Amino acid sequence: MRPILMKGHERPLTFLKYNRDGDLLFSCAKDHNPTVWFADNGERLGTYRGHNGAVWCCDVSRDSARLITGSADQTAKLWNVQTGQQLFTFNFDSPARAVDFSVGDKLAVITTDPFMDVTSAIHVKRIASEPEDQVGESALILKGPQGRINRAVWGPLNRTIISAGEDAVIRIWDSETGKLLKENDPEVGHKKTITSLAKSVDGSHFLTGSLDKSAKLWDTRTLTLIKTYVTERPVNAVAMSPLCDHVVLGGGQDASMVTTTDHRSGKFEAKFYDKILQEEIGGVKGHFGPINALAFNPDGKSFSSGGEDGYVRLHHFDSDYFNIKI
C-alpha cells in the first residue's frame, strides 16, 4: 500500500472531506486556501482563494456543487466547487470553527469560537438554492457550552444537532427550538477536550476523539457509550470505515511538544482498531508531525490523512486489508 503524497499546503492540515461520490477530496489547512484534489490519483484540481486566516473545517453538498468553509478570519464562505467562485460570506464576531451541511443541503450549522468577550455559539443558517437569494441571518443561535466547540454535526433527519468541544461534553440540541435535549454521562465521557467527531454512514452512531488519549463510540439517539478505544497519545482525528468494522485514530503530541521527539522516523501513525473488539489491528506510518485530519473514501477502499507536516497522504488499500481476521 504505497501512499500518494499530496503537497499543496504550506501549513499544517486541519480537515479533510470527501464528496459523496468519492471522486474529490477537499483539504483545509492553516494557509488560508482550501484545496480540492482528485481522490484516485491525488492530482490537484484547484484552490479556493478568498479567506484571510486559517481554514478550520469544510463540507461539500451532496451534489458536489457547493463547498462551505469556516475560517479564523471570522467568516464562513460558500463556494462554487467547479469554478472556485465565492458565492457568499457569513460574517461573525469570532473565528468560525466547524461547518456541516444538513441532509438536503438546505441548512448549515456553523460554530464560532469564544473571542474577547464573545462566548462560543452554534449558528444555524438557511442555505438558499440560488446564491443571489442567500441571506446572512442565523435561523437559530445556540449558546451554553464553555470553550471552543470543535465539532457540530446534524443528527438523523436534521432534527438534532450534536456538538462537542473543549468542555469535553457531547450535547444534543433540538434543531427547531434550540433546546438542549441531552448531555453525555460525565462518568463515561471524555476527560479532556474533544477534538473530532465522525458519524457512521447511516447516522446511527458516531465516534469522538479526545486529548485524553481515547476515542469513544456513541449511540446517536440515546447518547449511550458503546465502545472505547484507548491509545498512547492524544487523538486529533477520527474516522470510521463505511465498509469494514474499522475505526482509525490519528494524533501525536501537541504541536508545541513535537520538537522533543525524533522527527526523522515518520513516527506519527494512523492506528486502525477493530470497531467491535476494540483491539488495534494495524497502523499506517509516514507523517512527520501529528495527524490532524483523517477521512475515509465513501467506498471504503481508500483513506487519506493530513498532518502537521503540511502533507496529505492518500492510501489505497491492498486486497489483504479487506481480509484482516483477528
Side-chain angles (χ1 to χ4, degrees):
M1 184 170 80
R2 293 209 39 202
I4 299 170
L5 257 72
M6 291 141 67
K7 180 70 175 151
H9 288 291
E10 308 283 310
R11 297 281 319 279
L13 270 286
T14 54
F15 197 75
L16 291 168
K17 179 83 185 183
Y18 283 91
N19 67 342
R20 194 177 68 102
D21 302 331
D23 61 338
L24 301 177
L25 174 63
F26 296 86
S27 60
C28 300
K30 293 184 182 174
D31 64 3
H32 312 184
N33 296 324
T35 302
V36 59
W37 317 75
F38 280 117
D40 58 342
N41 59 5
E43 191 181 322
R44 180 157 72 164
L45 248 169
T47 56
Y48 298 90
R49 294 183 182 267
H51 274 303
N52 207 5
V55 182
W56 295 121
C57 193
C58 70
D59 195 15
V60 57
S61 63
R62 189 180 165 96
D63 60 1
S64 303
R66 302 258 187 283
L67 179 74
I68 186 168
T69 53
S71 165
D73 64 7
Q74 308 194 351
T75 67
K77 289 182 188 287
L78 284 170
W79 309 81
N80 178 322
V81 168
Q82 202 171 359
T83 63
Q85 175 195 0
Q86 276 187 59
L87 301 176
F88 194 80
T89 300
F90 298 104
N91 291 299
F92 299 101
D93 300 326
S94 63
R97 176 71 45 174
V99 292
D100 194 44
F101 279 125
S102 64
V103 179
D105 302 319
K106 295 271 192 292
L107 298 165
V109 62
I110 305 168
T111 71
T112 53
D113 284 355
F115 186 68
M116 315 284 274
D117 47 4
V118 182
T119 57
S120 56
I122 302 170
H123 303 255
V124 176
K125 303 283 189 189
R126 288 195 179 86
I127 304 295
S129 39
E130 298 299 324
E132 55 269 19
D133 302 335
Q134 184 63 50
V135 292
E137 278 72 49
S138 298
L140 189 64
I141 300 179
L142 313 175
K143 292 189 173 172
Q146 297 302 305
R148 276 189 202 148
I149 304 165
N150 286 329
R151 285 282 170 270
V153 298
W154 293 91
L157 302 173
N158 302 338
R159 286 184 184 151
T160 54
I161 291 167
I162 304 161
S163 72
E166 280 190 342
D167 60 5
V169 182
I170 301 164
R171 294 180 175 84
I172 296 187
W173 311 78
D174 185 308
S175 58
E176 287 284 319
T177 63
K179 208 170 105 219
L180 178 61
L181 300 176
K182 286 192 185 74
E183 292 189 350
N184 69 286
D185 176 1
E187 286 292 301
V188 298
H190 286 293
K191 302 292 179 263
K192 289 187 182 167
T193 298
I194 296 172
T195 54
S196 47
L197 192 157
K199 287 192 296 188
S200 64
V201 180
D202 61 2
S204 65
H205 53 285
F206 64 92
L207 182 67
T208 53
S210 163
L211 299 183
D212 66 9
K213 305 183 182 172
S214 74
K216 291 176 186 283
L217 195 68
W218 306 85
D219 182 292
T220 306
R221 278 201 315 251
T222 60
L223 207 50
T224 43
L225 180 67
I226 308 171
K227 303 277 180 189
T228 300
Y229 312 91
V230 183
T231 74
E232 320 68 84
R233 43 185 65 162
V235 179
N236 298 341
V238 294
M240 241 183 305
S241 169
L243 193 60
C244 311
D245 283 326
H246 296 165
V247 300
V248 193
L249 314 183
Q253 308 90 327
D254 190 38
S256 59
M257 301 287 292
V258 169
T259 49
T260 60
T261 57
D262 183 10
H263 66 90
R264 290 185 302 277
S265 47
K267 272 261 172 39
F268 297 91
E269 59 179 333
K271 295 200 171 197
F272 282 68
Y273 285 75
D274 187 287
K275 193 188 213 170
I276 287 78
L277 302 175
Q278 306 174 46
E279 288 177 27
E280 192 178 328
I281 50 181
V284 179
K285 287 192 173 71
H287 278 287
F288 289 93
I291 294 173
N292 295 338
L294 286 169
F296 260 97
N297 191 308
D299 67 7
K301 294 181 181 167
S302 62
F303 88 106
S304 54
S305 56
E308 195 74 21
D309 55 7
Y311 281 94
V312 180
R313 298 172 74 93
L314 176 66
H315 305 262
H316 289 278
F317 294 118
D318 300 334
S319 53
D320 50 358
Y321 161 82
F322 301 103
N323 306 321
I324 296 173
K325 298 274 182 288
I326 288 200

